[in-house]
Amino acid sequence: MSINYDGQVAIVTGAGAGLGRSHALALAARGAKVVVNDLGGKGGSLSAGSLAVVAEIEATGGQAIANGANVADMAQVTAMVEQTMQQWGRIDILVNNAGILRDKSFGKMTIEDFQLVVDVHLMGSANCSKAVWDIMKAQNYGRIVMTTSSSGLYGNFGQANYGAAKMGVVGLMNTLCIEGEKNGVKVNCLSPTANTAMTEDLIKDQRVLDLMTVESVTTGLLALVAKESPTRTILGCGAGGFARAVIKETDGIYLSPEQQTPENILANWKALEDESNAKELKAGWMQTNKYVAKAAAFLGVDLSS
């Protein structure tokens, strides 16, 4: 199987440097026409980074346009999508990559910095996904990737704002992949670790940084936006390692109405957290059905009829 994106149009946000630049170049190298989005200056001016990436793509025979939209501004995002449709008439791939950091411990972090990071990462992903959603549904084809993080999935000191936003995009994916399924729109999350401007101050060992190439992460991105891609997947990528992160729920316990006290929950905690029969639930109703089935079994109620 050979993956290419011939005839497809991709929007990559935050593509003037780092991971976004790598994503844009790789998509173009495999045939995609690429919108290289990177935050420009006032008045809609284009960043030097986005123009440089466009020049790189065009130098190798590819097609690309630069765009300076702020992903946290829905009006600018809408204009970006309109520009793309006027240029190429379709949008097949959206890579929500744009991001910023404002790291501080939660006690020292201003609420403004919390809001700013959420606006860029979570609302930026929602804005861009909303702007292309109906287009992809009408085409009966689309691939959307959210960029999550281990800071959201597992936590990281000093990144309450970033972690909250990055877990938020997982929730966004979980619903969009359900709503887009019948129209061929697949939605996934990329959880990268790479040597970029966002991580250079966090990791000091150059030997480690040399392993954490942006290209190794882009390899995973290319798989998530392929025609044969999965959906509802959190793909971890870094330094050549690839893994799927999965949210599971333990089988848990059942307490009858007269037993339903906080004391009994804590008394049965070991059984409640037993992971031997944990399962991945792929929709909210599956959790409801599980709990109701436990209650019905205790009461001897047949729910099959």
Side-chain angles (χ1 to χ4, degrees):
M1 177 179 67
S2 177
I3 294 174
N4 69 73
Y5 310 97
D6 294 340
Q8 295 192 27
V9 176
I11 296 175
V12 183
T13 67
L19 282 172
R21 171 182 175 275
S22 178
H23 297 339
L25 293 175
L27 285 163
R30 289 177 178 255
K33 303 176 181 72
V34 182
V35 178
V36 180
N37 164 261
D38 194 55
L39 183 61
K42 292 182 179 179
S45 62
L46 301 173
S47 73
S50 65
L51 292 171
V53 174
V54 169
E56 284 187 74
I57 291 171
E58 291 179 339
T60 57
Q63 296 183 55
I65 56 175
N67 180 275
N70 177 354
V71 297
D73 185 323
M74 189 63 188
Q76 293 185 38
V77 169
T78 300
M80 174 177 68
V81 168
E82 289 174 350
Q83 177 194 14
T84 306
M85 292 299 288
Q86 289 170 4
Q87 182 80 15
W88 289 311
R90 62 183 297 115
I91 299 170
D92 302 277
I93 296 167
L94 168 65
V95 181
N96 288 305
N97 171 76
I100 60 171
L101 291 177
R102 294 293 185 275
D103 291 357
K104 275 188 180 177
S105 65
F106 190 58
K108 296 180 180 179
M109 181 184 297
T110 66
I111 201 65
E112 290 77 15
D113 274 351
F114 194 102
Q115 182 73 56
L116 179 62
V117 170
V118 170
D119 283 346
V120 173
H121 290 272
L122 177 55
M123 290 309 302
S125 296
N127 289 340
C128 293
S129 299
K130 177 65 174 174
V132 304
W133 191 250
D134 287 343
I135 294 167
M136 290 183 172
K137 287 180 68 178
Q139 294 171 171
N140 285 311
Y141 185 88
R143 299 291 182 267
I144 297 175
V145 171
M146 315 291 179
T147 304
T148 185
S149 170
S150 58
S151 296
L153 297 172
Y154 312 118
N156 216 16
F157 187 91
Q159 293 193 313
N161 47 7
Y162 184 72
K166 287 307 193 183
M167 200 60 184
V169 299
V170 174
L172 182 58
M173 173 199 74
N174 283 341
T175 291
L176 294 190
C177 67
I178 295 170
E179 295 185 3
E181 183 177 13
K182 70 178 182 180
N183 293 104
V185 181
K186 295 183 177 182
V187 188
N188 294 289
C189 280
L190 185 74
S191 181
T193 179
N195 180 11
T196 68
M198 289 182 69
T199 59
E200 63 185 3
D201 292 333
L202 303 176
I203 301 170
K204 301 300 183 183
D205 191 326
Q206 190 60 47
R207 296 169 301 173
V208 174
L209 293 174
D210 289 344
L211 294 172
M212 296 169 58
T213 66
V214 291
E215 291 80 9
S216 65
V217 172
T218 293
T219 299
L221 180 279
L222 295 178
L224 292 182
V225 298
K227 291 179 181 178
E228 304 83 0
S229 74
T231 193
R232 197 193 178 92
T233 293
I234 304 169
L235 180 65
C237 303
F242 302 91
R244 182 177 178 231
V246 183
I247 299 172
K248 291 186 175 183
E249 184 169 295
T250 65
D251 187 55
I253 59 172
Y254 173 75
L255 297 175
S256 62
E258 63 274 10
Q259 294 175 318
Q260 291 172 17
T261 67
E263 291 84 1
N264 279 336
I265 292 175
L266 293 179
N268 288 277
W269 197 263
K270 187 173 182 180
L272 180 152
E273 67 177 1
D274 178 8
E275 298 182 18
S276 59
N277 291 311
K279 293 181 180 179
E280 179 185 6
L281 304 180
K282 297 189 176 182
W285 60 263
M286 295 176 71
Q287 184 194 62
T288 300
N289 282 7
K290 185 182 80 169
Y291 296 162
V292 170
K294 285 182 179 292
F298 175 83
L299 296 171
V301 177
D302 184 3
L303 297 177
S304 61
S305 57

